[in-house]
Amino acid sequence: MRVYLDNAATTPLDKEVFDAMAPYMLEHFGNPSSIHGHGREVRAAIEKARKTIANLLHTSPAEIFFTSGGTEADNTAIVCTIRALGIKHAITSRLEHHAVLHTLQMLEKKGELSLSYLRHNAQGVLDLEHLEELLAQNPQTLVSVMHANNEIGNLNDIEAIGTICKQHNAVFHADTVQTMGHYRHDLQKLNANFIVGSAHKFHGPKGVGFLYADAGIKVQPLIHGGSQERNMRGGTENVYGIIGLAKALEIAYRDMAEHQQHIQGLKDRLIHKLKEQVEGLTFNGLSAEADKSLYTVLSVSLPPSDITEMLLFSLDINKISASGGSACSSGANAGSHVLEALGIDPNRGNIRFSFSKYNTPEEIDYVAAKLAQLYKKVPA
């Protein structure tokens, strides 16, 4: 048995998505910027995909811009808004994905803004009273806070954050990469100026995503060189990627309740079995609390052991694919900035298991049994 539990890093492509993409790989190959028939039919498909995404999110197609993925979408929202509006202050947390954190820190280093970090407790819960205090001191601010943490699974209350931002006339960017396709987003109700999506996080293709940008905020493009995406992103569109993105999101919304029930059941099963079989095990953040964390992510903290440094390698030998933290840091020597910010003991072994609709109870039982074998000699 080979088990893939690293779905927060990337998900397998849905066959239904591939089938929707295939004609745009082989038959409908025109450049969507061309005015002839081959180009027009591809342009029509892109606009249909844009409309599909807009309808699912309850917004206008004119507010959906296709990108190469979540990182580019986050960078566009942050950099272009700050420069277009002359914003000199931003608020974020030390728990954000590096696509946000490094971008804001780069702008601070260049002297383009001052940066404040929200307080949080040992479980990673953000202090929204602190947010109100910071906004009262700096009303013209960009707030960038993720919907759900990609490492520990914590869900942030972006509805409440959006309301606070609106009250203080602040611009709100929510990194929704981990929740897009897993939760419903209603942009008629959510006070967010920017949200993002990346297709490969919900069984779509890699290398394509989108940015929702509030039409009330006029920003300049991050990538220049053409008039594509209504002058917001230069470069020929990733046509079959865009088709796949829209199809994947459509399937995700269609089957969301069924998939959530299935995946939450798998996560609960793993929590129960690990508690039962592994002494000294704990869970990072709120990842073991069903109503406060992503149903797709479980962050496990294992007791100090002589196998800690080789833990992921040991799992891989046992044909289990998981992550030690953020997927974007996989293979790096540096530890997780999120776990460090939470003060997690670096001597403990930390694993992020992340689930999809394709995982099975039998796989969960296999993983729990293998982890128990690895730690059978570890004292409580």
Side-chain angles (χ1 to χ4, degrees):
M1 179 180 288
R2 186 159 185 82
V3 183
Y4 183 76
L5 287 180
D6 201 16
N7 290 279
T10 197
T11 55
L13 187 70
D14 190 304
K15 176 62 164 54
E16 197 175 343
V17 173
F18 176 78
D19 289 343
M21 294 168 62
Y24 294 89
M25 296 177 175
L26 301 173
E27 301 162 27
H28 309 303
F29 55 82
N31 188 316
S33 295
S34 299
I35 62 172
H36 49 57
H38 286 84
R40 291 198 306 273
E41 68 177 357
V42 174
R43 167 57 56 198
I46 288 177
E47 295 312 317
K48 182 180 178 182
R50 195 188 313 276
K51 186 175 181 181
T52 295
I53 295 167
N55 287 343
L56 292 171
L57 300 180
H58 297 168
T59 191
S60 163
E63 295 178 307
I64 301 297
F65 300 92
F66 294 117
T67 68
S68 63
T71 295
E72 184 193 327
D74 284 334
N75 272 254
T76 301
I78 293 168
V79 175
C80 297
T81 300
I82 285 169
R83 290 176 176 170
L85 301 184
I87 290 174
K88 298 300 182 185
H89 181 249
I91 299 170
T92 190
S93 82
R94 295 191 184 278
L95 310 178
E96 301 302 307
H97 190 280
H98 281 153
V100 167
L101 206 53
H102 284 177
T103 304
L104 287 167
Q105 289 170 344
M106 174 272 294
L107 292 169
E108 182 183 42
K109 189 175 181 179
K110 287 186 173 183
E112 296 189 40
L113 55 78
S114 61
L115 187 57
S116 299
Y117 297 95
L118 287 175
R119 291 192 294 259
H120 59 79
N121 66 15
Q123 289 185 299
V125 178
L126 300 181
D127 184 345
L128 297 192
E129 288 186 4
H130 187 216
L131 174 61
E132 293 198 74
E133 291 171 14
L134 290 171
L135 286 174
Q137 298 165 13
N138 304 277
Q140 191 180 10
T141 288
L142 171 72
V143 176
S144 185
V145 174
M146 60 185 11
H147 187 191
N149 191 278
N150 52 301
E151 294 194 37
I152 57 174
N154 286 22
L155 283 167
N156 292 318
D157 189 348
I158 58 172
E159 288 80 9
I161 293 170
T163 299
I164 293 169
C165 288
K166 187 175 182 180
Q167 290 169 349
H168 291 272
N169 198 32
V171 177
F172 179 36
H173 160 247
D175 179 351
T176 50
V177 164
Q178 287 294 336
T179 56
M180 189 61 61
H182 302 291
Y183 295 83
R184 295 181 184 274
H185 295 84
D186 186 347
L187 290 167
Q188 293 298 311
K189 297 178 181 178
L190 179 63
N191 290 313
N193 302 105
F194 301 95
I195 68 169
V196 303
S198 187
H200 74 112
K201 303 295 188 180
F202 47 90
H203 305 287
K206 296 175 182 65
V208 65
F210 71 88
L211 169 68
Y212 156 77
D214 182 350
I217 297 180
K218 302 299 181 184
V219 298
Q220 298 300 311
L222 183 70
I223 296 175
H224 299 268
S227 59
Q228 292 88 355
E229 293 302 293
R230 299 181 304 286
N231 295 304
M232 268 295 291
R233 184 185 190 271
T236 302
E237 296 91 340
N238 176 0
V239 178
Y240 45 81
I242 289 169
I243 301 301
L245 164 61
K247 188 64 177 179
L249 194 60
E250 185 178 40
I251 293 168
Y253 270 66
R254 182 190 74 195
D255 301 336
M256 193 175 291
E258 175 189 343
H259 291 161
Q260 182 167 0
Q261 183 178 13
H262 170 69
I263 296 168
Q264 185 67 57
L266 297 177
K267 179 177 173 177
D268 291 344
R269 187 183 187 96
L270 185 57
I271 290 171
H272 173 75
K273 288 189 172 291
L274 290 179
K275 281 182 175 179
E276 191 176 65
Q277 298 178 38
V278 182
E279 296 277 2
L281 174 142
T282 59
F283 301 100
N284 295 317
L286 303 174
S287 69
E289 299 188 34
D291 59 336
K292 297 178 181 178
S293 69
L294 282 167
Y295 60 90
T296 54
V297 169
L298 180 66
S299 181
V300 177
S301 183
L302 294 147
S305 163
D306 56 3
I307 69 164
T308 295
E309 289 188 8
M310 300 295 288
L311 181 54
L312 290 178
F313 181 68
S314 299
L315 288 174
D316 194 41
I317 288 175
N318 284 283
K319 299 183 178 180
I320 298 167
S321 297
S323 172
S326 169
C328 296
S329 298
S330 295
N333 291 324
S336 160
H337 70 285
V338 173
L339 299 183
E340 181 181 1
L342 297 185
I344 303 297
D345 183 352
N347 295 312
R348 293 180 68 86
N350 294 287
I351 311 171
R352 180 188 67 183
F353 294 113
S354 46
F355 317 89
S356 88
K357 61 185 181 181
Y358 294 121
N359 290 122
T360 66
E362 292 75 21
E363 290 178 334
I364 297 303
D365 293 350
Y366 174 82
V367 169
K370 289 297 181 183
L371 204 55
Q373 286 177 14
L374 290 172
Y375 274 83
K376 62 184 178 182
K377 296 181 181 179
V378 177

